[in-house]
Amino acid sequence: MSASVLRFFRRLRCSQPEIAVAQVRELRPQIPLLYVLLTVNATAVAYTHYLYAPILLTVLVPAVLVVMSIARLVVWLRSRDTDVSPQEAMAQLNKTVVLAGVLAALYVTWALCLGSYGGPYEQGHVALFIAATVIGCIFCLMHLPQAAFVVTGIVSVPYLIYYAFFGNSVFIAIALNIALVTLVMIRVLQNGFQTFSEALRSQKALAIKKAEADALGAENLRLAHTDPLTSLSNRRYFFARLDEQIELSKASGSVLILGLLDLDRFKAINDTYGHVVGDRLLAEVGGRLAAKAPNVLVSRLGGDEFGFIAEIGEDGAASLGQDYCDLLSEPYPLEGLSLRIGCSCGMAAYPASARSAHDLFDRADYALYVAKEGRQSRALLYSTDHEKRIARDAAVETELRSPLLDEQLQIHFQPIVDATGRPVAVEALARWHSPLLGPMSPMLFIPIAERTGHIHDLTMKLLGKALGHFRTMVSSGISMAFNLSANDLTSPATVLAIIAMISKSGVPADRVILEITETAVMRDFELAQNSITLLRQIGVKIALDDFGTGQSSLGYLHRLRIDKVKIDRSFIGGLQEPWGRKIIASIIALCETLDLGCVVEGVEDEQQLQALQDLGCHYFQGYRFAMPMPFEQLVGWLSENGIDWQQPASKAHRA
Ligand code: C2E
Ligand code: MG
Ligand code: MG
């Protein structure tokens, strides 16, 4: 018994502070009941003994006890809604145990003093009062077993001794019964409290586990939403937030801007300086974007594409987009280099441009596409003009699918002449007259064919026609230039089909010049270089068209195995100015150094021709000599300009 009592107290001492808080919470509604019970029962005993016992025992002592009980009752009631810390709860429980012991001692002493007064009924009332009250107290103290145990001990022991000496066998039996009942109750209470403590402990352990799982989940979610390279949020997070933001804007009526940022020349840096530098550059881009406008959500959508969502008006969007472009175009000091990239930005506004996330993204993407067509580093907001362009592009795309397309396509030829005005080559230029849409510039339909996946078929149709015409004039000794689109050069299937077509055409491959653009080379240098190698293996010549308009890199010029450069016609305007002439002179000098042929495009008048000849140009193309013309017309033009059809091929000049 004593061992189990010790164990019991040890267990109670070990009760965790968190359990103490729960104990106080459970005791708060019960202890006031205990004091009510004591007060009512004591008053009843005092009342029944009023005529038999001294006033000290029937009025004064019970009055003091009742006042003490009511005071404690008020304290407990007032503290009912206050929060307690674990330490405060422990202190309150200890205090309650001590007070319970003191009150139990006072009450039992008082009751036993009354026990000898009155007749059997009054004496029986005292015995019942003690027994019933101690059982009631044990119930009320079930969440504080120390107190229940103390009360039981302090009440039961004197109670037993008193009635043992009292001598009445009925009272002795009652006292023994009560002692037994209280012991059983204490045991049951102890078990109940143990279950209560364990439930609390496991609840706490569960809460800790849940908190850990929640923290882990939150961290996993953060990682799942973060781009590790830039520490910006990633594509998944971006689109989830876009949906949310659209809903919020719908409710508040605010304007939402979705922006897409695409880095220019990033691929070239990656190819030239390697992925480590490329990664560091992207991280720096992420840092700049994050620091620029903290209220704007910026995410990395993949590769060198970033997106932002901003709740600003359309006017604010224009400047924010341009600010981002300018910011990212600032030089990047990395690895002892000063790297420069450009940035284009396309934006769309909710609800003006589109009402769903998908459409908004499409519109911003279209604005980005248009922005990339123009000068570098500019921002464009999707507008009604773009809406019209999309409708027109869709009509062009439909017509590109027409089974009659082949009949509607034509090739015009524009001569390329040497310094004496003698034709050395012709450039094949695509012409399309759609019965529905009218005549269309290749500048319009070639990019649409590229975007919509029709370019392979279109290139093959045009090359077939150009070779078909040119085969009949092979004996003239001149060459034929044909334009390849950027997609052609980076598509191995198209390159192989071109090689097969040229090989079967009956035209000597070394009389075909394929014109490629810097854009194609910059898109995928390795792939472009492989294509060039393959094409050159059959003898085809390669010319770099529109030189100077794209992202020219002297490094590329040197590494690419090309045969000639075509200086873009936009340089012709600069001939009036000393700087313009200097640029052309330096390109010509560069070509000479690298042993490359050099043709100047867009020569329109005599003055320009003279200036170009003074700068050392040897080959020209432009309206000054001839407009692009149908094949039938070209035949006449060539013979008027000294091309003898029977002339041996060896007499032709190298352009
Ligand atoms: P490009 O290859 O640079 O062709 C030269 C363009 O300049 C032609 O425009 C030609 O008409 C124009 N041009 C020639 N001389 C002068 C001049 O003195 N002044 C002015 N202002 N312009 C001149 P076109 O035929 O409209 O072709 C435009 C572009 O479309 C071509 O530029 C080429 O990049 C592309 N293209 C043309 N045909 C084809 C084709 O069959 N396939 C591909 N992929 N692209 C083509
Ligand atoms: Mg060309
Ligand atoms: Mg050109």
Side-chain angles (χ1 to χ4, degrees):
M1 173 74 186
S2 60
S4 75
V5 168
L6 268 179
R7 250 202 326 275
F8 173 73
F9 272 100
R10 202 173 301 129
R11 214 171 14 243
L12 293 176
R13 266 208 314 277
C14 293
S15 82
Q16 294 172 354
E18 288 78 2
I19 291 179
V21 173
Q23 281 177 279
V24 168
R25 209 171 38 234
E26 294 296 326
L27 287 170
R28 276 177 176 171
Q30 290 171 357
I31 298 243
L33 289 178
L34 180 148
Y35 286 117
V36 170
L37 183 83
L38 276 176
T39 307
V40 171
N41 288 4
T43 309
V45 171
Y47 176 73
T48 56
H49 285 71
Y50 186 65
L51 295 177
Y52 308 103
I55 198 106
L56 175 75
L57 289 177
T58 55
V59 177
L60 295 179
V61 173
V64 172
L65 291 175
V66 165
V67 167
M68 280 173 73
S69 299
I70 291 175
R72 289 300 302 156
L73 183 142
V74 171
V75 169
W76 275 92
L77 283 180
R78 284 175 66 177
S79 71
R80 196 160 47 182
D81 296 325
T82 53
D83 286 334
V84 281
S85 68
Q87 285 68 29
E88 285 167 341
M90 293 287 272
Q92 193 172 349
L93 292 179
N94 288 336
K95 196 163 123 189
T96 305
V97 173
V98 173
L99 267 173
V102 171
L103 276 174
L106 290 175
Y107 268 103
V108 79
T109 311
W110 168 67
L112 293 179
C113 288
L114 272 183
S116 56
Y117 294 100
Y121 289 122
E122 286 73 25
Q123 290 171 0
H125 187 186
V126 169
L128 183 73
F129 160 71
I130 297 174
T133 307
V134 80
I135 291 172
C137 289
I138 291 172
F139 266 115
C140 292
L141 292 169
M142 65 200 284
H143 288 102
L144 187 54
Q146 306 98 307
F149 193 82
V150 165
V151 168
T152 306
I154 289 177
V155 173
S156 301
V157 174
Y159 183 72
L160 259 178
I161 297 170
Y162 177 84
Y163 284 108
F165 284 103
F166 201 72
N168 184 316
S169 57
V170 175
F171 283 123
I172 293 172
I174 290 174
L176 283 172
N177 281 352
I178 295 302
L180 196 65
V181 168
T182 50
L183 280 178
V184 170
M185 281 180 65
I186 285 289
R187 180 75 199 154
V188 171
L189 188 144
Q190 186 191 348
N191 291 341
F193 183 73
Q194 201 173 332
T195 314
F196 169 76
S197 317
E198 275 162 15
L200 279 178
R201 280 195 197 98
S202 54
Q203 219 173 49
K204 171 128 196 301
L206 268 178
I208 290 171
K209 284 230 153 27
K210 187 174 174 313
E212 282 171 3
D214 286 352
L216 196 69
E219 179 61 8
N220 283 342
L221 196 67
R222 194 188 66 75
L223 288 176
H225 285 161
T226 304
D227 169 56
L229 194 61
T230 59
S231 301
L232 293 174
S233 51
N234 61 14
R235 190 182 183 87
R236 185 192 308 188
Y237 183 74
F238 185 79
F239 284 104
R241 281 292 302 275
L242 181 59
D243 285 330
E244 278 174 24
Q245 286 293 328
I246 286 180
E247 287 308 313
L248 289 175
S249 292
K250 206 177 277 176
S252 67
S254 59
V255 173
L256 193 71
I257 300 293
L258 164 68
L260 299 177
L261 298 161
D262 193 271
L263 306 183
D264 303 319
R265 295 190 296 278
F266 173 72
K267 188 160 187 344
I269 287 187
N270 226 10
D271 288 347
T272 313
Y273 300 106
H275 289 272
V276 175
V277 173
D279 284 356
R280 290 193 53 198
L281 183 69
L282 284 176
E284 174 67 25
V285 166
R288 288 187 190 184
L289 288 174
K292 167 74 190 151
N295 293 336
V296 177
L297 170 74
V298 187
S299 306
R300 182 175 173 219
L301 304 182
D304 60 353
E305 199 183 32
F306 296 80
F308 64 87
I309 302 172
E311 212 178 301
I312 42 170
E314 294 183 24
D315 294 341
S319 62
L320 180 67
Q322 194 56 53
D323 283 355
Y324 277 138
C325 290
D326 295 344
L327 183 70
L328 298 188
S329 304
E330 295 287 316
Y332 294 78
L334 287 176
E335 311 270 329
L337 302 160
S338 177
L339 301 175
R340 267 183 183 276
I341 50 168
C343 171
S344 306
C345 172
M347 293 169 287
Y350 172 90
S353 311
R355 287 175 175 271
S356 75
H358 179 270
D359 290 352
L360 203 60
F361 187 85
D362 263 9
R363 306 287 195 268
D365 199 34
Y366 191 82
L368 176 65
Y369 164 76
V370 179
K372 282 188 95 70
E373 273 181 348
R375 67 178 174 84
Q376 301 291 301
S377 296
R378 68 168 179 161
L380 268 187
L381 183 64
Y382 184 84
S383 67
T384 42
D385 283 353
H386 297 128
E387 201 82 51
K388 286 183 199 143
R389 260 187 75 156
I390 287 180
R392 185 201 62 192
D393 290 2
V396 172
E397 194 200 340
T398 310
E399 286 306 291
L400 277 172
R401 293 181 205 273
S402 164
L404 302 175
L405 178 67
D406 200 41
E407 294 163 25
Q408 296 163 10
L409 289 172
Q410 249 197 316
I411 295 291
H412 281 195
F413 292 93
Q414 187 179 32
I416 296 169
V417 301
D418 67 11
T420 65
R422 186 183 174 80
V424 290
V426 287
E427 178 173 5
L429 294 162
R431 295 292 178 263
W432 180 22
H433 193 290
S434 151
L436 200 73
L437 304 171
M440 265 177 293
S441 160
M443 308 275 266
L444 170 70
F445 66 83
I446 297 282
I448 296 176
E450 283 179 342
R451 233 181 23 253
T452 56
H454 292 85
I455 192 68
H456 173 90
D457 289 347
L458 191 63
T459 298
M460 299 321 292
K461 281 190 173 80
L462 292 168
L463 182 61
K465 282 176 191 286
L467 288 169
H469 288 308
F470 188 62
R471 188 175 45 228
T472 64
M473 47 190 281
V474 166
S475 61
S476 66
I478 64 171
S479 300
M480 180 189 74
F482 181 84
N483 293 284
L484 290 187
S485 97
N487 289 26
D488 294 332
L489 196 68
T490 49
S491 156
T494 306
V495 170
L496 292 177
I498 289 170
I499 289 172
M501 186 176 270
I502 294 173
S503 308
K504 283 190 214 144
S505 66
V507 171
D510 61 355
R511 300 272 292 285
V512 175
I513 305 160
L514 292 176
E515 296 191 1
I516 61 169
T517 58
E518 289 161 298
T519 322
V521 177
M522 299 302 282
R523 193 176 289 178
D524 194 326
F525 185 79
E526 299 300 323
L527 208 52
Q529 208 172 27
N530 290 345
S531 301
I532 291 169
T533 307
L534 279 177
L535 290 164
R536 283 175 60 96
Q537 269 169 7
I538 63 160
V540 165
K541 306 267 187 328
I542 304 291
L544 192 59
D545 203 358
D546 305 340
F547 185 76
T549 54
Q551 301 135 18
S552 309
S553 152
L554 292 184
Y556 279 131
L557 208 55
H558 177 63
R559 282 159 65 197
L560 273 179
R561 296 190 55 221
I562 54 170
D563 300 279
K564 66 191 74 192
V565 162
K566 293 184 80 175
I567 301 178
D568 190 72
R569 67 172 182 269
S570 56
F571 287 97
I572 297 291
L575 275 175
Q576 317 282 350
E577 310 289 336
W579 60 263
R581 287 195 294 274
K582 273 187 192 155
I583 291 177
I584 296 183
S586 51
I587 299 176
I588 293 166
L590 180 75
C591 290
E592 270 169 17
T593 311
L594 297 174
D595 197 22
L596 299 172
C598 180
V599 179
V600 189
E601 298 179 310
V603 185
E604 293 185 350
D605 57 42
E606 200 52 43
Q607 236 181 331
Q608 291 169 349
L609 177 64
Q610 195 54 57
L612 289 164
Q613 281 181 333
D614 291 348
L615 290 172
C617 293
H618 298 303
Y619 297 100
F620 311 92
Q621 181 179 354
Y623 299 162
R624 155 69 182 76
F625 306 99
M627 302 283 284
M629 60 191 100
F631 178 70
E632 301 72 31
Q633 213 176 312
L634 177 74
V635 174
W637 189 91
L638 283 175
S639 59
E640 277 169 28
N641 285 275
I643 296 296
D644 178 0
W645 291 96
Q646 303 308 317
Q647 197 172 338
S650 59
K651 288 193 180 170
H653 290 65
R654 173 176 174 248

